[in-house]
Amino acid sequence: MFPPDACCSLPTDAARRLMSSANRCCPPNIVVRRMLAARGNPCTVLSVLCSLSSIMATRHQYECCPDIGLFSMLTNAYCLVTNEASENFYSVFESKLAGDIPMVKTSLANTRIIIGLLCAGNKNGLLVPQHTNDQEIHHLRNTLPDKVVVQRIDVGPFDLGRCISCNDYTALMHPNLERGTEELIADVLEVDVFRRTVKGEDYVGDFCAFNNKGGMVPRHTSPGELHGLSTLLEVPLVAGTVNKRRRAISAGLIVNDWTAFCGSDTTTTELSVIESVFKLRKAQPSMIVS
């Protein structure tokens, strides 16, 4: 993957460790391009490798679509991905998750491509549409960690993933969902549930994303609403964007407590904000999983 002479001046063991870490955190084309630019300068090569190894958010896409959140879902205990994708698509998830949590290829409610819109979950449970068939439920229960409760839920005409946004302790839900639905969300996910809008939008699952350390809401969210939501969720929030200022944050971003995948159109500035607000730079997956 690297030019054969790019690391010739580095100690062998150190170079090998840094290259392995860089390859896991950064797409191969970026690694090669930066290494080629640094060729012949050992100090610059070392700097590039160290910077690559610290990258905790990864740009990704499905086919040519940067809305990665439509085709995948991520928690601290598992990652769901569409079962209609290329090996290149799966390899990015596998390299970043590195055996810490399972990556599960699945369909939901006989929908083979769209995953993120149809489910909501955290380390405790997974909520799936009422029309998810028995075979899909059986597959999920066999492949997810034993402690994860898989539960069908009926949210009427709404897309489940658009109605709920949650971390391991708190969930925001569409204001118009039924009382029984609210209780089921609280029981399965083991969270406190609040009926809220985000920037005037009922579909809270579309317009915010948060983990246990921080969160993001749409730009131009008022300071008062930002403070109110931050107090409610008990995590710091910022008003930001992904995928070059697209409005639907969750469509372009999935995140847990130590890593994130964002759309391929996400700018360097947006990427830096994501790593900062979700506190990904110093996170350790082994600590969180255990």
Side-chain angles (χ1 to χ4, degrees):
M1 180 171 293
F2 290 89
D5 58 339
C7 295
C8 59
S9 300
L10 292 173
T12 304
D13 291 341
R16 186 180 299 112
R17 286 196 299 271
L18 284 169
M19 284 188 289
S20 175
S21 178
N23 287 331
R24 288 196 304 270
C25 297
C26 195
N29 61 320
I30 295 178
V31 175
V32 172
R33 187 164 64 247
R34 296 186 187 181
M35 290 300 299
L36 284 170
R39 181 185 293 186
N41 187 335
C43 293
T44 304
V45 169
L46 181 60
S47 176
V48 168
L49 285 169
C50 289
S51 67
L52 287 173
S53 66
S54 67
I55 293 175
M56 290 288 121
T58 302
R59 295 183 181 97
H60 198 18
Q61 64 180 4
Y62 176 82
E63 302 296 342
C64 295
C65 179
D67 292 326
I68 190 66
L70 301 183
F71 312 101
S72 56
M73 192 270 272
L74 180 65
T75 75
N76 284 330
Y78 55 88
C79 177
L80 302 186
V81 294
T82 171
N83 59 4
E84 294 284 338
S86 67
E87 286 305 314
N88 287 337
F89 178 81
Y90 299 132
S91 66
V92 174
F93 288 99
E94 290 169 343
S95 64
K96 285 288 286 183
L97 302 177
D100 294 306
I101 57 176
M103 182 196 74
V104 179
K105 303 174 187 177
T106 188
S107 62
L108 293 174
N110 295 311
T111 302
R112 303 184 64 83
I113 297 178
I114 301 300
I115 295 295
L117 289 181
L118 301 180
C119 64
N122 61 12
K123 70 175 183 179
N124 303 312
L126 173 65
L127 299 169
V128 297
Q130 187 67 32
H131 298 300
T132 302
N133 63 51
D134 292 342
Q135 183 178 358
E136 291 167 333
I137 292 290
H138 183 71
H139 170 63
L140 289 169
R141 288 174 175 164
N142 282 346
T143 51
L144 293 176
D146 292 339
K147 65 180 181 180
V148 176
V149 177
V150 180
Q151 176 66 50
R152 292 185 180 97
I153 185 171
D154 186 6
V155 293
F158 306 110
D159 289 326
L160 179 58
R162 301 184 64 199
C163 297
I164 303 169
S165 185
C166 64
N167 61 13
D168 292 336
Y169 305 103
T170 310
L172 303 180
M173 63 172 274
H174 192 294
N176 296 333
L177 294 184
E178 296 179 356
R179 176 67 179 175
T181 300
E182 179 181 351
E183 294 174 351
L184 191 57
I185 294 169
D187 289 343
V188 174
L189 302 185
E190 299 180 24
V191 293
D192 297 321
V193 183
F194 300 95
R195 296 173 182 266
R196 285 298 299 257
T197 62
V198 175
K199 202 174 179 294
E201 300 285 352
D202 290 340
Y203 288 99
V204 291
D206 280 348
F207 295 98
C208 66
F210 55 100
N211 62 8
N212 296 327
K213 300 178 179 181
M216 182 178 289
V217 296
R219 63 192 181 115
H220 304 319
T221 300
S222 69
E225 183 176 9
L226 199 64
H227 175 73
L229 285 170
S230 180
T231 302
L232 192 67
L233 299 173
E234 299 183 352
V235 296
L237 300 178
V238 300
T241 59
V242 295
N243 276 339
K244 295 181 179 176
R245 299 189 174 187
R246 296 192 186 185
R247 293 184 69 235
I249 289 176
S250 65
L253 172 69
I254 58 172
V255 61
N256 66 11
D257 282 355
W258 74 86
T259 193
F261 299 89
C262 52
S264 54
D265 287 345
T266 301
T267 66
T268 302
T269 300
E270 290 172 332
L271 199 69
S272 178
V273 171
I274 289 168
E275 292 184 340
S276 177
V277 69
F278 293 107
K279 296 180 173 58
L280 303 178
R281 290 171 181 156
K282 296 182 180 180
Q284 296 294 327
S286 58
M287 294 171 57
I288 297 167
V289 172
S290 62

PDB file of all heavy atoms in Angstrom, residues 40-65:
ATOM      1  N   GLY A  40      11.020  10.908   0.777  1.00  0.00           N
ATOM      2  CA  GLY A  40      12.350  11.498   0.833  1.00  0.00           C
ATOM      3  C   GLY A  40      12.590  12.343   2.060  1.00  0.00           C
ATOM      4  O   GLY A  40      13.702  12.800   2.289  1.00  0.00           O
ATOM      5  N   ASN A  41      11.589  12.586   2.863  1.00  0.00           N
ATOM      6  CA  ASN A  41      11.748  13.382   4.073  1.00  0.00           C
ATOM      7  C   ASN A  41      11.278  12.550   5.258  1.00  0.00           C
ATOM      8  O   ASN A  41      10.092  12.510   5.571  1.00  0.00           O
ATOM      9  CB  ASN A  41      10.925  14.675   3.976  1.00  0.00           C
ATOM     10  CG  ASN A  41      11.201  15.606   5.150  1.00  0.00           C
ATOM     11  OD1 ASN A  41      11.601  15.173   6.224  1.00  0.00           O
ATOM     12  ND2 ASN A  41      10.976  16.903   4.940  1.00  0.00           N
ATOM     13  N   PRO A  42      12.184  11.848   5.946  1.00  0.00           N
ATOM     14  CA  PRO A  42      11.796  10.939   7.023  1.00  0.00           C
ATOM     15  C   PRO A  42      10.982  11.607   8.113  1.00  0.00           C
ATOM     16  O   PRO A  42      10.038  11.034   8.644  1.00  0.00           O
ATOM     17  CB  PRO A  42      13.142  10.429   7.574  1.00  0.00           C
ATOM     18  CG  PRO A  42      14.107  10.643   6.458  1.00  0.00           C
ATOM     19  CD  PRO A  42      13.633  11.845   5.718  1.00  0.00           C
ATOM     20  N   CYS A  43      11.314  12.845   8.455  1.00  0.00           N
ATOM     21  CA  CYS A  43      10.580  13.534   9.514  1.00  0.00           C
ATOM     22  C   CYS A  43       9.144  13.805   9.087  1.00  0.00           C
ATOM     23  O   CYS A  43       8.203  13.669   9.872  1.00  0.00           O
ATOM     24  CB  CYS A  43      11.267  14.853   9.874  1.00  0.00           C
ATOM     25  SG  CYS A  43      12.882  14.626  10.643  1.00  0.00           S
ATOM     26  N   THR A  44       8.989  14.200   7.809  1.00  0.00           N
ATOM     27  CA  THR A  44       7.641  14.467   7.310  1.00  0.00           C
ATOM     28  C   THR A  44       6.844  13.178   7.237  1.00  0.00           C
ATOM     29  O   THR A  44       5.649  13.154   7.544  1.00  0.00           O
ATOM     30  CB  THR A  44       7.711  15.117   5.913  1.00  0.00           C
ATOM     31  OG1 THR A  44       8.506  16.288   5.997  1.00  0.00           O
ATOM     32  CG2 THR A  44       6.326  15.474   5.419  1.00  0.00           C
ATOM     33  N   VAL A  45       7.489  12.083   6.812  1.00  0.00           N
ATOM     34  CA  VAL A  45       6.820  10.786   6.760  1.00  0.00           C
ATOM     35  C   VAL A  45       6.302  10.393   8.134  1.00  0.00           C
ATOM     36  O   VAL A  45       5.158   9.968   8.300  1.00  0.00           O
ATOM     37  CB  VAL A  45       7.780   9.697   6.229  1.00  0.00           C
ATOM     38  CG1 VAL A  45       7.170   8.317   6.420  1.00  0.00           C
ATOM     39  CG2 VAL A  45       8.088   9.943   4.764  1.00  0.00           C
ATOM     40  N   LEU A  46       7.138  10.556   9.153  1.00  0.00           N
ATOM     41  CA  LEU A  46       6.733  10.219  10.511  1.00  0.00           C
ATOM     42  C   LEU A  46       5.565  11.082  10.956  1.00  0.00           C
ATOM     43  O   LEU A  46       4.620  10.606  11.562  1.00  0.00           O
ATOM     44  CB  LEU A  46       7.918  10.389  11.464  1.00  0.00           C
ATOM     45  CG  LEU A  46       7.657  10.043  12.947  1.00  0.00           C
ATOM     46  CD1 LEU A  46       7.238   8.593  13.069  1.00  0.00           C
ATOM     47  CD2 LEU A  46       8.896  10.323  13.771  1.00  0.00           C
ATOM     48  N   SER A  47       5.616  12.380  10.620  1.00  0.00           N
ATOM     49  CA  SER A  47       4.531  13.287  10.983  1.00  0.00           C
ATOM     50  C   SER A  47       3.225  12.882  10.317  1.00  0.00           C
ATOM     51  O   SER A  47       2.169  12.893  10.939  1.00  0.00           O
ATOM     52  CB  SER A  47       4.898  14.722  10.593  1.00  0.00           C
ATOM     53  OG  SER A  47       3.828  15.597  10.844  1.00  0.00           O
ATOM     54  N   VAL A  48       3.296  12.511   9.025  1.00  0.00           N
ATOM     55  CA  VAL A  48       2.100  12.092   8.298  1.00  0.00           C
ATOM     56  C   VAL A  48       1.502  10.851   8.927  1.00  0.00           C
ATOM     57  O   VAL A  48       0.298  10.763   9.158  1.00  0.00           O
ATOM     58  CB  VAL A  48       2.420  11.834   6.812  1.00  0.00           C
ATOM     59  CG1 VAL A  48       1.256  11.130   6.120  1.00  0.00           C
ATOM     60  CG2 VAL A  48       2.745  13.145   6.105  1.00  0.00           C
ATOM     61  N   LEU A  49       2.356   9.873   9.245  1.00  0.00           N
ATOM     62  CA  LEU A  49       1.859   8.632   9.823  1.00  0.00           C
ATOM     63  C   LEU A  49       1.222   8.863  11.179  1.00  0.00           C
ATOM     64  O   LEU A  49       0.181   8.295  11.491  1.00  0.00           O
ATOM     65  CB  LEU A  49       3.010   7.625   9.955  1.00  0.00           C
ATOM     66  CG  LEU A  49       3.465   6.980   8.646  1.00  0.00           C
ATOM     67  CD1 LEU A  49       4.760   6.221   8.877  1.00  0.00           C
ATOM     68  CD2 LEU A  49       2.399   6.063   8.098  1.00  0.00           C
ATOM     69  N   CYS A  50       1.822   9.716  11.987  1.00  0.00           N
ATOM     70  CA  CYS A  50       1.258   9.986  13.301  1.00  0.00           C
ATOM     71  C   CYS A  50      -0.082  10.699  13.195  1.00  0.00           C
ATOM     72  O   CYS A  50      -1.014  10.415  13.932  1.00  0.00           O
ATOM     73  CB  CYS A  50       2.221  10.827  14.133  1.00  0.00           C
ATOM     74  SG  CYS A  50       3.687   9.923  14.674  1.00  0.00           S
ATOM     75  N   SER A  51      -0.179  11.645  12.254  1.00  0.00           N
ATOM     76  CA  SER A  51      -1.440  12.361  12.087  1.00  0.00           C
ATOM     77  C   SER A  51      -2.520  11.433  11.570  1.00  0.00           C
ATOM     78  O   SER A  51      -3.669  11.509  11.985  1.00  0.00           O
ATOM     79  CB  SER A  51      -1.267  13.556  11.139  1.00  0.00           C
ATOM     80  OG  SER A  51      -0.982  13.114   9.828  1.00  0.00           O
ATOM     81  N   LEU A  52      -2.166  10.517  10.668  1.00  0.00           N
ATOM     82  CA  LEU A  52      -3.149   9.575  10.148  1.00  0.00           C
ATOM     83  C   LEU A  52      -3.636   8.630  11.230  1.00  0.00           C
ATOM     84  O   LEU A  52      -4.812   8.283  11.286  1.00  0.00           O
ATOM     85  CB  LEU A  52      -2.543   8.770   8.994  1.00  0.00           C
ATOM     86  CG  LEU A  52      -2.342   9.518   7.674  1.00  0.00           C
ATOM     87  CD1 LEU A  52      -1.569   8.631   6.707  1.00  0.00           C
ATOM     88  CD2 LEU A  52      -3.667   9.932   7.067  1.00  0.00           C
ATOM     89  N   SER A  53      -2.719   8.222  12.109  1.00  0.00           N
ATOM     90  CA  SER A  53      -3.103   7.266  13.135  1.00  0.00           C
ATOM     91  C   SER A  53      -4.056   7.870  14.152  1.00  0.00           C
ATOM     92  O   SER A  53      -4.710   7.147  14.887  1.00  0.00           O
ATOM     93  CB  SER A  53      -1.855   6.738  13.859  1.00  0.00           C
ATOM     94  OG  SER A  53      -1.238   7.775  14.588  1.00  0.00           O
ATOM     95  N   SER A  54      -4.163   9.228  14.203  1.00  0.00           N
ATOM     96  CA  SER A  54      -5.047   9.863  15.175  1.00  0.00           C
ATOM     97  C   SER A  54      -6.428  10.142  14.615  1.00  0.00           C
ATOM     98  O   SER A  54      -7.284  10.632  15.327  1.00  0.00           O
ATOM     99  CB  SER A  54      -4.414  11.179  15.657  1.00  0.00           C
ATOM    100  OG  SER A  54      -4.380  12.119  14.588  1.00  0.00           O
ATOM    101  N   ILE A  55      -6.656   9.845  13.329  1.00  0.00           N
ATOM    102  CA  ILE A  55      -7.945  10.131  12.726  1.00  0.00           C
ATOM    103  C   ILE A  55      -9.004   9.196  13.288  1.00  0.00           C
ATOM    104  O   ILE A  55      -8.878   7.988  13.228  1.00  0.00           O
ATOM    105  CB  ILE A  55      -7.873   9.998  11.190  1.00  0.00           C
ATOM    106  CG1 ILE A  55      -6.967  11.092  10.610  1.00  0.00           C
ATOM    107  CG2 ILE A  55      -9.260  10.095  10.571  1.00  0.00           C
ATOM    108  CD1 ILE A  55      -6.734  10.968   9.134  1.00  0.00           C
ATOM    109  N   MET A  56     -10.071   9.778  13.857  1.00  0.00           N
ATOM    110  CA  MET A  56     -11.105   8.981  14.501  1.00  0.00           C
ATOM    111  C   MET A  56     -12.436   9.054  13.769  1.00  0.00           C
ATOM    112  O   MET A  56     -13.378   8.385  14.144  1.00  0.00           O
ATOM    113  CB  MET A  56     -11.295   9.448  15.948  1.00  0.00           C
ATOM    114  CG  MET A  56     -10.136   9.109  16.857  1.00  0.00           C
ATOM    115  SD  MET A  56     -10.062   7.349  17.215  1.00  0.00           S
ATOM    116  CE  MET A  56      -8.462   6.934  16.614  1.00  0.00           C
ATOM    117  N   ALA A  57     -12.542   9.906  12.775  1.00  0.00           N
ATOM    118  CA  ALA A  57     -13.751   9.976  11.954  1.00  0.00           C
ATOM    119  C   ALA A  57     -13.354   9.679  10.509  1.00  0.00           C
ATOM    120  O   ALA A  57     -12.346  10.181  10.019  1.00  0.00           O
ATOM    121  CB  ALA A  57     -14.395  11.352  12.056  1.00  0.00           C
ATOM    122  N   THR A  58     -14.125   8.854   9.849  1.00  0.00           N
ATOM    123  CA  THR A  58     -13.782   8.369   8.521  1.00  0.00           C
ATOM    124  C   THR A  58     -14.837   8.781   7.507  1.00  0.00           C
ATOM    125  O   THR A  58     -16.030   8.568   7.723  1.00  0.00           O
ATOM    126  CB  THR A  58     -13.677   6.831   8.518  1.00  0.00           C
ATOM    127  OG1 THR A  58     -12.701   6.436   9.469  1.00  0.00           O
ATOM    128  CG2 THR A  58     -13.281   6.314   7.138  1.00  0.00           C
ATOM    129  N   ARG A  59     -14.405   9.370   6.403  1.00  0.00           N
ATOM    130  CA  ARG A  59     -15.326   9.652   5.305  1.00  0.00           C
ATOM    131  C   ARG A  59     -15.648   8.355   4.571  1.00  0.00           C
ATOM    132  O   ARG A  59     -14.780   7.532   4.328  1.00  0.00           O
ATOM    133  CB  ARG A  59     -14.708  10.650   4.323  1.00  0.00           C
ATOM    134  CG  ARG A  59     -14.459  12.044   4.893  1.00  0.00           C
ATOM    135  CD  ARG A  59     -13.922  12.951   3.790  1.00  0.00           C
ATOM    136  NE  ARG A  59     -13.625  14.286   4.245  1.00  0.00           N
ATOM    137  CZ  ARG A  59     -12.412  14.701   4.599  1.00  0.00           C
ATOM    138  NH1 ARG A  59     -11.392  13.860   4.555  1.00  0.00           N
ATOM    139  NH2 ARG A  59     -12.213  15.948   4.993  1.00  0.00           N
ATOM    140  N   HIS A  60     -16.904   8.201   4.204  1.00  0.00           N
ATOM    141  CA  HIS A  60     -17.315   6.973   3.536  1.00  0.00           C
ATOM    142  C   HIS A  60     -18.538   7.269   2.673  1.00  0.00           C
ATOM    143  O   HIS A  60     -19.181   8.312   2.818  1.00  0.00           O
ATOM    144  CB  HIS A  60     -17.633   5.900   4.584  1.00  0.00           C
ATOM    145  CG  HIS A  60     -17.650   4.497   4.059  1.00  0.00           C
ATOM    146  ND1 HIS A  60     -17.070   4.128   2.850  1.00  0.00           N
ATOM    147  CD2 HIS A  60     -18.198   3.340   4.563  1.00  0.00           C
ATOM    148  CE1 HIS A  60     -17.245   2.837   2.651  1.00  0.00           C
ATOM    149  NE2 HIS A  60     -17.925   2.337   3.675  1.00  0.00           N
ATOM    150  N   GLN A  61     -18.864   6.345   1.767  1.00  0.00           N
ATOM    151  CA  GLN A  61     -20.050   6.513   0.926  1.00  0.00           C
ATOM    152  C   GLN A  61     -20.553   5.146   0.490  1.00  0.00           C
ATOM    153  O   GLN A  61     -19.834   4.155   0.529  1.00  0.00           O
ATOM    154  CB  GLN A  61     -19.725   7.366  -0.307  1.00  0.00           C
ATOM    155  CG  GLN A  61     -18.707   6.731  -1.248  1.00  0.00           C
ATOM    156  CD  GLN A  61     -18.404   7.608  -2.461  1.00  0.00           C
ATOM    157  OE1 GLN A  61     -18.902   8.721  -2.561  1.00  0.00           O
ATOM    158  NE2 GLN A  61     -17.603   7.099  -3.372  1.00  0.00           N
ATOM    159  N   TYR A  62     -21.827   5.124   0.096  1.00  0.00           N
ATOM    160  CA  TYR A  62     -22.420   3.916  -0.468  1.00  0.00           C
ATOM    161  C   TYR A  62     -22.592   4.139  -1.961  1.00  0.00           C
ATOM    162  O   TYR A  62     -23.320   5.059  -2.362  1.00  0.00           O
ATOM    163  CB  TYR A  62     -23.771   3.628   0.181  1.00  0.00           C
ATOM    164  CG  TYR A  62     -24.491   2.442  -0.424  1.00  0.00           C
ATOM    165  CD1 TYR A  62     -24.173   1.154  -0.031  1.00  0.00           C
ATOM    166  CD2 TYR A  62     -25.465   2.622  -1.404  1.00  0.00           C
ATOM    167  CE1 TYR A  62     -24.823   0.060  -0.583  1.00  0.00           C
ATOM    168  CE2 TYR A  62     -26.121   1.541  -1.961  1.00  0.00           C
ATOM    169  CZ  TYR A  62     -25.790   0.256  -1.557  1.00  0.00           C
ATOM    170  OH  TYR A  62     -26.430  -0.829  -2.109  1.00  0.00           O
ATOM    171  N   GLU A  63     -21.919   3.305  -2.756  1.00  0.00           N
ATOM    172  CA  GLU A  63     -21.866   3.552  -4.199  1.00  0.00           C
ATOM    173  C   GLU A  63     -21.362   4.978  -4.388  1.00  0.00           C
ATOM    174  O   GLU A  63     -20.278   5.294  -3.977  1.00  0.00           O
ATOM    175  CB  GLU A  63     -23.231   3.324  -4.835  1.00  0.00           C
ATOM    176  CG  GLU A  63     -23.805   1.923  -4.613  1.00  0.00           C
ATOM    177  CD  GLU A  63     -22.989   0.811  -5.239  1.00  0.00           C
ATOM    178  OE1 GLU A  63     -22.159   1.101  -6.128  1.00  0.00           O
ATOM    179  OE2 GLU A  63     -23.154  -0.350  -4.838  1.00  0.00           O
ATOM    180  N   CYS A  64     -22.179   5.872  -4.947  1.00  0.00           N
ATOM    181  CA  CYS A  64     -21.761   7.269  -5.095  1.00  0.00           C
ATOM    182  C   CYS A  64     -22.554   8.189  -4.176  1.00  0.00           C
ATOM    183  O   CYS A  64     -22.558   9.414  -4.372  1.00  0.00           O
ATOM    184  CB  CYS A  64     -21.925   7.723  -6.550  1.00  0.00           C
ATOM    185  SG  CYS A  64     -20.839   6.867  -7.706  1.00  0.00           S
ATOM    186  N   CYS A  65     -23.213   7.634  -3.188  1.00  0.00           N
ATOM    187  CA  CYS A  65     -24.076   8.420  -2.305  1.00  0.00           C
ATOM    188  C   CYS A  65     -23.358   8.711  -0.984  1.00  0.00           C
ATOM    189  O   CYS A  65     -22.952   7.784  -0.286  1.00  0.00           O
ATOM    190  CB  CYS A  65     -25.381   7.678  -2.044  1.00  0.00           C
ATOM    191  SG  CYS A  65     -26.498   8.569  -0.940  1.00  0.00           S
TER     192      CYS A  65
END
